[in-house]
Amino acid sequence: MQDPKTLLSQLTLEEKAALVAGLNMWQTKAIERLGIPSILMTNGPHGVQKQASEATDFAGMSNSIPATCFPPAVIQAATWNRELIHEMGVALGEECRQEKVSILLGPGINIKRSPLGGRNYDYYSEDPYFAGEMAKQLIMGIESQGIGASLKHFAVGNQEYRRMTINAVVDERALREIYLAGFETIIKDAQPWTVMNAYTLVNGTYCSENPHLIRGILKKEWDFQGVVLSDWGSVNDRIAGLKAEIDLEMPDPATDNQRAILAAVRAGDLPEATLDRAVELMLALIFKAQETFAKGDFTYDKQAHHDLARRIAEEGTVLLKNENQILPIPESAKVALLGHFAKKPRFQGTGSSLTNPTMVDNLYDEMVKRIGEANVLYAPGFPEKDKAFIDEALLAEALEVAAKADYVVVMVGVAVAEGGDQPSMKLHASHTALIEKVAAAHKKVIVLLSNGNPLEMPWLANVPAVLEGYLAGQAGAAAQADILLGRVNPSGKIGETFPIKLEDNPSHPYFPGGPSTVEYRESIYVGYRYYDTANAPVLFPFGHGLSYTTFEYRELSVQARNDSASVTFKIRNTGNKSGKEAVQVYVRDVESSHFRPFKELKGFAKVHIQPKEEKSVTIELDRRAFSFYDVGKKDWILETGDFEILVGASSQDIRLKTTLRLDSDQQASSYADRATLAPYFSPTPALISRDTFAALYGKPLPENTTPQKGSYTLNTPFGDMSDSWLARQLLNLMNGQVKKMVGGDDPDNPLLAMVENMLKEMPLRAMLMMTNGALKRGTLEALLMMINGRGLRGFGALVKSLVRK
């Protein structure tokens, strides 16, 4: 491995500027004269999305090599199994080794603030501790193979609506306790090779140039040693980004920004030492990556990886309801499978994580393998494309098939895609109609869900069983068949709360905000932290999941040690089936000077227990498990007092509890106006006023406005400039470019629909990326003048830019 410091001294200024930007969509630049190679990165995080050809644009998203499509983060989280997710990380690393991919872009650990979040399927949880613990294992597994991971999206990237221009207004305590805590866990424990910034602004500054987040917290406080790279097209001001310590801009061509770097260094506006710091980190990354491939070629076992994907789906499938133990289904029974997903499974979302699977199981074939074709019936149940349309003929056929069966499995769900948030928590009308009609006619109905977000279930009381299959990956159907038939005992538990209805969610009045800001007025009360504190009813609580066996918890003991504690208890399998139980430890601060949630998850373990067997479980709680972030002290504070230790099967199924006392020499700061903050001390469904949130935020809130013609900028979304003929033509140009990128204008292409939906919310500067560098910044700035009504001046600037070009 060459020494980065030695190489740094040999680089020209132009070469330094080149190394902090990509070569194309997926590669870094090489400096051949010094033997500095290019390295390849590709989308993840639950499959290797390497392009099948030499093309280096978005076309690769629909033209990638076959790779194992493992279950996405939503179902990884539902396993509650650290070791299993580490094993998945190892497998992803192996596939990268085979394909000479140096960095896999993932995992994402943004918080599920709202059940409508468009990429919730790609994220782990509403709980930052849990998300951090699970994603940490994936990263450590990937990097054990000499492949870099990219922890994303740092930070507060919790929605798709206007994601490239929205300003997330978050109070500092919520930022630290909810939206940064998972990242902090991973940085301190795993030191991933890279971190990717989010698109959004946080408290007025783009994440791609946010010194408080990047330089201050990530690098200085947490001591992150790796490379920070931009999300694709997220860079607003490259010089500000380098000063904030964003090391690598992706993708390229970014020649305008390279010229800007050179000019800034020569003018003294950017210290060369700041550029050198980024270059040295890039050199270290490049040569560390090259060491892996110097060891020779590698070939992974496709069948073994498929089997691993099945095991993850087995442990991540959640039995939400099982009235009268209707499940498992006897293998002698005749089973009707209703819904297109029985033969055409929905096993992943659409977007940057879309994986071209090596093989795909479907439930119909898997059930036939197990119980024979004569015992498996099928009907599509609803239209494959127009899911809002209720087709009475298809319903009648489904009812006729159901009448011939002993058990009926109704397969329904909702498509999910990057680029847009979910419009509601409701199933399609045709799916709901199918459930209701069948449930009214048959007593043994199991609803099997394929979805990435929580759903409202107005039909729940009328069906005896519900199996949450989520998006189960390429082997998910085999896992589901084994669970339905009892060959596998379900052990998944949801890593998010399922509210009864959307309006129950604490973020609902403020999500997704817009046009320019989104206010996080609920502060730290995200998910179960709100529901359990406000004593609000839910459909299924955080951590919920049933089994075909039963577990008994007993003999809780806690040993306090200064500012930490060791929690030990016993768990016994009291049933007749071998099973796995995700045990959860919550901490409650009995009396605090600051508002706190009723309880918070601070430990968990997945325990495999044979029938009538008993095991002892010990979970360690460190100082942080008892602390809160004090904005006044700018530190985590542990107050002297009593803490309740709650051990349970979910956040609302607490089996054991005890109290311990901890002493501390820390003193928390006091609130200047506690009365104004009363809604945070006793949260209710009532709307939190803007004045109350402003008091918590600590300064005036930014105005939420739409820019008007004459004041448009390069950061103004296309949809906000619809009054301009020229802006509309540029949007049409972008639409045409998108069709080329995703391989045509097939209306059924999910990538085309995704990107077209995103375009109106993309800022004007996105054209620099979407045109693959054909359009330069100077030309775009001239066009902006014309859009703003300064036609002659803009035309003159346009001519000059084209001449320079």
Side-chain angles (χ1 to χ4, degrees):
M1 177 176 174
Q2 299 195 53
D3 177 43
K5 289 187 181 294
T6 301
L7 281 173
L8 183 65
S9 66
Q10 300 172 25
L11 289 166
T12 66
L13 181 60
E14 288 77 9
E15 288 170 335
K16 291 177 183 178
L19 280 170
V20 295
L23 171 67
N24 48 43
M25 190 60 71
W26 305 113
Q27 294 171 291
T28 64
K29 289 189 175 75
I31 307 295
E32 294 183 4
R33 74 176 186 87
L34 294 175
I36 300 171
S38 169
I39 62 172
L40 175 67
M41 58 192 77
T42 187
N43 274 327
H46 61 263
V48 179
Q49 199 195 92
K50 180 184 176 184
Q51 293 187 3
S53 66
E54 295 301 315
T56 52
D57 57 23
F58 280 122
M61 291 175 65
S62 57
N63 185 32
S64 59
I65 61 161
T68 308
C69 181
F70 290 100
V74 64
I75 200 167
Q76 294 169 44
T79 69
W80 292 70
N81 189 329
R82 291 178 174 93
E83 292 75 19
L84 186 59
I85 301 311
H86 185 278
E87 193 176 344
M88 174 179 160
V90 171
L92 286 169
E94 289 177 345
E95 297 197 20
C96 286
R97 286 172 62 188
Q98 173 176 301
E99 301 301 335
K100 300 295 190 293
V101 171
S102 295
I103 298 171
L104 189 68
L105 301 172
I109 64 160
N110 297 94
I111 293 297
K112 299 185 182 186
R113 179 192 179 213
S114 166
L116 300 183
R119 293 186 76 177
N120 280 7
Y121 67 96
D122 256 345
Y123 301 145
Y124 287 85
S125 182
E126 66 190 32
D127 184 88
Y129 163 76
F130 181 54
E133 287 293 313
M134 296 300 286
K136 178 175 69 177
Q137 294 301 322
L138 189 78
I139 289 170
M140 292 170 70
I142 293 168
E143 297 193 345
S144 72
Q145 299 302 299
I147 303 298
S150 192
L151 177 62
K152 63 185 186 181
H153 305 88
F154 192 72
V156 201
N158 308 304
Q159 64 187 62
E160 295 301 280
Y161 174 69
R162 293 178 176 255
R163 66 178 185 175
M164 295 187 77
T165 58
I166 200 80
N167 177 20
V169 183
V170 193
D171 70 275
E172 186 71 13
R173 185 170 167 206
L175 187 66
R176 296 286 189 152
E177 292 190 13
I178 305 298
Y179 299 103
L180 298 185
F183 289 96
E184 182 180 2
T185 294
I186 294 170
I187 297 302
K188 290 181 174 180
D189 293 353
Q191 278 290 338
W193 288 19
T194 73
V195 169
M196 183 191 296
N197 69 248
Y199 281 116
T200 55
L201 298 88
V202 174
N203 294 332
T205 305
Y206 275 102
C207 290
S208 61
E209 57 195 58
N210 196 309
H212 176 55
L213 287 177
I214 307 299
R215 188 177 66 238
I217 296 175
L218 179 63
K219 295 206 171 183
K220 185 177 180 181
E221 288 187 31
W222 300 347
D223 194 32
F224 176 57
Q225 300 295 314
V227 165
V228 181
L229 57 91
S230 73
D231 201 346
W232 272 231
S234 70
V235 169
N236 172 58
D237 182 329
R238 187 63 183 116
I239 306 308
L242 278 167
K243 290 178 179 178
E245 303 193 10
I246 299 289
D247 306 302
L248 173 64
E249 178 184 6
M250 291 298 292
D252 210 57
T255 51
D256 288 324
N257 283 343
Q258 288 178 57
R259 285 195 292 266
I261 291 169
L262 296 174
V265 171
R266 287 164 179 157
D269 296 328
L270 176 68
E272 189 167 357
T274 298
L275 177 60
D276 287 349
R277 179 205 52 75
V279 172
E280 190 172 340
L281 287 170
M282 281 300 301
L283 291 171
L285 175 68
I286 289 167
F287 286 108
K288 180 163 61 173
Q290 286 301 110
E291 287 181 356
T292 300
F293 302 123
K295 298 173 184 176
D297 293 339
F298 181 89
T299 302
Y300 75 91
D301 185 331
K302 288 184 173 62
Q303 186 60 51
H305 285 198
H306 183 75
D307 293 343
L308 173 59
R310 187 198 71 247
R311 287 194 287 121
I312 296 166
E314 288 173 355
E315 291 207 30
T317 299
V318 184
L319 182 59
L320 293 175
K321 180 180 180 181
N322 193 22
E323 191 174 88
N324 299 322
Q325 287 73 53
I326 184 177
L327 289 175
I329 299 171
E331 297 202 8
S332 59
K334 191 177 291 290
V335 181
L337 304 179
L338 306 182
H340 282 285
F341 301 150
K343 292 189 174 182
K344 296 181 180 180
R346 173 172 290 149
F347 58 93
Q348 65 176 323
T350 297
S352 57
S353 65
L354 185 69
T355 302
N356 179 13
T358 57
M359 57 188 92
V360 181
D361 296 336
N362 72 71
L363 187 59
Y364 180 84
D365 290 343
E366 294 301 319
M367 292 293 283
V368 167
K369 288 179 189 176
R370 288 157 177 78
I371 64 175
E373 189 172 8
N375 284 329
V376 183
L377 309 175
Y378 167 77
F382 49 80
E384 186 172 1
K385 294 183 179 180
D386 186 5
K387 299 177 183 66
F389 175 67
I390 298 175
D391 189 316
E392 295 295 340
L394 290 178
L395 282 177
E397 178 192 12
L399 288 170
E400 184 178 339
V401 169
K404 300 174 183 176
D406 301 312
Y407 291 80
V408 180
V409 180
V410 181
M411 302 185 68
V412 295
V414 176
V416 293
E418 180 179 351
D421 297 311
Q422 290 292 310
S424 74
M425 285 176 55
K426 300 181 187 301
L427 281 170
H428 300 292
S430 60
H431 292 208
T432 298
L434 178 62
I435 295 171
E436 292 176 344
K437 290 282 189 182
V438 174
H442 206 292
K443 292 183 178 181
K444 294 183 178 180
V445 176
I446 300 104
V447 174
L448 175 53
L449 298 170
S450 298
N451 52 296
N453 303 63
L455 296 170
E456 294 176 3
M457 303 182 194
W459 37 262
L460 183 63
N462 300 320
V463 298
V466 179
L467 200 60
E468 175 56 270
Y470 280 124
L471 303 168
Q474 67 179 49
Q480 291 162 2
D482 284 340
I483 289 172
L484 287 168
L485 296 171
R487 297 185 179 188
V488 168
N489 192 349
S491 62
K493 298 196 176 189
I494 51 178
E496 58 198 332
T497 304
F498 279 42
I500 297 171
K501 60 183 185 303
L502 176 60
E503 291 77 13
D504 295 339
N505 182 265
S507 73
H508 175 66
Y510 327 113
F511 180 95
S516 61
T517 69
V518 53
E519 295 174 354
Y520 284 53
R521 293 194 205 176
E522 71 278 6
S523 187
I524 63 172
Y525 294 110
V526 176
Y528 75 88
R529 283 171 167 78
Y530 164 75
Y531 297 111
D532 292 358
T533 307
N535 199 26
V538 300
L539 193 64
F540 297 108
F542 174 84
H544 169 76
L546 304 176
S547 171
Y548 293 155
T549 190
T550 53
F551 300 97
E552 178 187 68
Y553 294 60
R554 66 189 190 92
E555 293 186 22
L556 171 64
S557 65
V558 177
Q559 181 66 46
R561 296 188 304 270
N562 295 323
D563 58 0
S564 61
S566 181
V567 178
T568 300
F569 56 95
K570 291 181 178 178
I571 182 167
R572 178 179 175 83
N573 183 342
T574 55
N576 297 315
K577 284 181 174 287
S578 170
K580 297 178 181 179
E581 174 74 335
V583 297
Q584 302 156 46
V585 176
Y586 296 84
V587 173
R588 175 183 172 236
D589 190 346
V590 175
E591 185 177 357
S592 174
S593 64
H594 286 218
F595 61 85
R596 299 195 70 174
F598 182 77
K599 60 178 172 287
E600 297 177 280
L601 181 74
K602 296 299 178 183
F604 67 92
K606 189 77 172 277
V607 188
H608 187 193
I609 316 177
Q610 297 299 327
K612 311 307 179 185
E613 182 186 14
E614 183 174 79
K615 288 187 176 181
S616 179
V617 179
T618 298
I619 292 176
E620 302 294 334
L621 302 178
D622 60 13
R623 180 188 184 93
R624 184 67 169 268
F626 304 96
S627 303
F628 63 88
Y629 189 80
D630 188 323
V631 176
K633 293 291 183 70
K634 296 183 179 180
D635 197 7
W636 291 88
I637 298 296
L638 168 61
E639 290 185 308
T640 295
D642 292 338
F643 294 87
E644 204 167 38
I645 306 301
L646 309 165
V647 178
S650 79
S651 67
Q652 293 187 8
D653 184 6
I654 301 302
R655 308 288 183 88
L656 304 169
K657 63 181 178 180
T658 190
T659 301
L660 80 156
R661 184 173 181 82
L662 296 178
D663 295 318
S664 172
D665 57 3
Q666 287 184 302
Q667 198 75 28
S669 62
S670 58
Y671 289 109
D673 187 3
R674 180 167 175 146
T676 302
L677 298 177
Y680 292 109
F681 283 88
S682 300
T684 70
L687 187 74
I688 295 173
S689 73
R690 207 161 188 267
D691 288 344
T692 297
F693 180 55
L696 180 67
Y697 187 60
K699 54 187 175 183
L701 297 172
E703 293 301 317
N704 190 10
T705 58
T706 302
Q708 301 300 312
K709 189 168 185 177
S711 61
Y712 297 148
T713 71
L714 292 180
N715 287 320
T716 302
F718 280 97
D720 290 353
M721 300 184 292
S722 59
D723 59 353
S724 164
W725 177 87
L726 179 55
R728 294 196 299 272
Q729 303 316 303
L730 292 175
L731 179 58
N732 290 336
L733 176 66
M734 293 271 279
N735 270 309
Q737 184 69 11
V738 162
K739 290 177 181 178
K740 292 179 182 177
M741 286 179 171
V742 299
D745 58 0
D746 179 3
D748 293 328
N749 183 342
L751 285 173
L752 176 62
M754 179 197 81
V755 183
E756 283 187 331
N757 288 337
M758 292 168 58
L759 282 180
K760 288 185 179 179
E761 294 177 0
M762 280 187 174
L764 187 60
R765 63 177 162 83
M767 291 195 73
L768 299 174
M769 178 182 71
M770 298 292 283
T771 59
N772 291 317
L775 186 66
K776 302 301 181 185
R777 192 179 186 94
T779 303
L780 192 59
E781 288 173 341
L783 292 170
L784 177 61
M785 290 184 199
M786 299 168 73
I787 291 171
N788 273 320
R790 296 188 284 275
L792 290 176
R793 185 179 175 188
F795 183 75
L798 178 64
V799 172
K800 289 181 180 179
S801 72
L802 294 174
V803 170
R804 284 197 301 268
K805 188 172 170 184

